[in-house]
Amino acid sequence: MFSRLSSLLIKTLKILALQSFALLTSSASSSTSSSSSSISNELLIIGAGQMRTGTTSLKFALQLLFNQPCYHMYDVIYKYQESHIKKWIKIFNMHQKCVNIEKANWNDIFNECKFAVDYPTCVFYKDLMNIYPNAKVILTIRDTDSWISSCRATTASDMVMTKHITFTENIIYRLRGLRSLPILHDRMYTKAFGSNYDQMTDDELKNAFIKWNQEVINYVPKDRLLIFDPNDGWKPLCEFLNIPIPENVPFPHLNKRIDLRNRLLKYRFLAQFLNFSFIISFLWFIHYMITS
């Protein structure tokens, strides 16, 4: 009798032990899955550097180092296009109305990206630092005179930094899948430089650039900030990220001024050609109506 009771007790204890182990395993698995999901939605690098400071080079450098995508204005224009442009405009609208921007809103934009640099990200670096408290911040810098010269030839030229978009330019934006891009440009530049950005002189824009950099330096804790000149190559970046320097891999120096300007001029030429075509067509129509 005692032997049977002992055997039954041992079997019961074994069953309870197995059930407990299964429960713990399930809980651990769930916790790991939840933790993994949480980590997967964490931004690890926030770029606070202004346009034309080597942000494209930084994007591809980070992608080479970690084999992970890095979000950049390049992706907005050439990959996600109108779908993300609308998401960013929504973010700007929420910010302007002082509506709390939830982490889910940011995760919806950055998705699988662990790093985000350049516009529109940089104008929200303070918000993103709070949303992603473990993220480090990289401020890409450049000589001020060199910066204004590059900007005026490209992203701060009258081809881009303008509030006056012609009818044919709007058509081109629509054909490229970038219908709302001029609106996004306006929101970005207004937040970065003020509503009079399109009227700023070179000196005013240079002063705004200096002020921007200093504000980032003053705001971001030193242990979270790297002030980075891409001309310095891998060493400061890898030391900041605590990873080895890639062997026999040159640091990427991309999106040169001449390349970007040529792309912008191509669209400017197309817009002018369409304008000319519309004028000729209209004049021909008037002539036809008069002479017929």
Side-chain angles (χ1 to χ4, degrees):
M1 181 71 176
F2 179 76
S3 176
R4 286 182 179 180
L5 287 173
S6 297
S7 177
L8 182 61
L9 180 60
I10 290 171
K11 286 181 179 180
T12 303
L13 289 172
K14 284 182 177 179
I15 291 171
L16 288 172
L18 287 171
Q19 288 177 338
S20 298
F21 178 75
L23 184 62
L24 286 170
T25 304
S26 173
S27 175
S29 174
S30 174
S31 174
T32 302
S33 174
S34 174
S35 174
S36 174
S37 174
S38 175
I39 291 172
S40 67
N41 287 331
E42 288 295 312
L43 207 59
L44 302 178
I45 298 290
I46 300 166
Q50 271 291 339
M51 57 185 176
R52 308 307 300 156
T53 58
T55 57
T56 305
S57 299
L58 177 60
K59 165 187 168 66
F60 284 94
L62 291 170
Q63 290 179 167
L64 281 169
L65 289 172
F66 295 98
N67 196 30
Q68 295 279 350
C70 177
Y71 195 93
H72 187 281
M73 189 67 183
Y74 181 93
D75 299 290
V76 177
I77 294 175
Y78 294 103
K79 183 178 180 181
Y80 300 111
Q81 299 191 312
E82 188 68 12
S83 64
H84 270 224
I85 292 172
K86 287 181 177 178
K87 289 179 181 181
W88 277 108
I89 292 173
K90 179 182 177 182
I91 291 286
F92 277 99
N93 289 341
M94 292 172 70
H95 188 272
Q96 189 175 21
K97 296 175 182 177
C98 297
V99 175
N100 185 40
I101 305 172
E102 301 289 344
K103 188 174 184 178
N105 297 114
W106 294 113
N107 287 344
D108 184 44
I109 289 177
F110 298 126
N111 197 9
E112 80 278 11
C113 294
K114 296 288 193 298
F115 324 108
V117 301
D118 197 69
Y119 280 108
T121 299
C122 67
V123 295
F124 288 103
Y125 74 90
K126 293 179 182 178
D127 305 73
L128 293 171
M129 285 177 65
N130 293 327
I131 293 291
Y132 304 103
N134 295 320
K136 293 179 179 292
V137 179
I138 298 178
L139 173 66
T140 42
I141 59 170
R142 183 174 184 171
D143 171 75
T144 309
D145 290 329
S146 173
W147 178 80
I148 191 65
S149 177
S150 179
C151 285
R152 286 308 192 195
T154 55
T155 52
S157 66
D158 61 355
M159 291 182 282
V160 180
M161 192 177 269
T162 178
K163 297 182 181 181
H164 307 290
I165 306 298
T166 66
F167 174 72
T168 50
E169 285 172 336
N170 264 317
I171 291 176
I172 293 171
Y173 279 123
R174 288 168 183 260
L175 291 174
R176 294 175 63 198
L178 305 170
R179 177 179 180 177
S180 305
L181 185 59
I183 299 173
L184 179 57
H185 278 156
D186 179 63
R187 302 295 172 83
M188 294 186 319
Y189 292 140
T190 296
K191 190 167 183 352
F193 303 117
S195 59
N196 68 328
Y197 64 84
D198 59 326
Q199 303 296 324
M200 295 175 79
T201 65
D202 286 1
D203 285 339
E204 288 172 335
L205 199 56
K206 283 163 63 175
N207 288 334
F209 176 62
I210 294 169
K211 180 182 177 182
W212 173 276
N213 289 342
Q214 192 58 53
E215 186 175 335
V216 173
I217 293 169
N218 293 341
Y219 184 84
V220 182
K222 290 184 179 180
D223 61 334
R224 291 182 69 179
L225 177 66
L226 171 65
I227 303 170
F228 180 56
D229 184 340
N231 289 321
D232 293 335
W234 290 117
K235 190 173 186 293
L237 180 62
C238 292
E239 287 179 352
F240 178 67
L241 299 174
N242 294 316
I243 57 174
I245 297 174
E247 294 184 6
N248 302 318
V249 179
F251 188 89
H253 292 285
L254 304 170
N255 206 26
K256 298 290 186 180
R257 179 192 311 185
I258 186 65
D259 298 327
L260 179 55
R261 181 164 179 80
N262 284 340
R263 290 200 300 271
L264 293 173
L265 285 174
K266 179 179 69 174
Y267 293 117
R268 167 60 66 86
F269 173 78
L270 180 57
Q272 290 175 339
F273 175 77
L274 289 176
N275 277 331
F276 178 76
S277 299
F278 277 124
I279 292 171
I280 294 298
S281 299
F282 178 74
L283 291 176
W284 178 87
F285 176 75
I286 295 298
H287 178 265
Y288 174 80
M289 294 297 292
I290 293 174
T291 57
S292 61

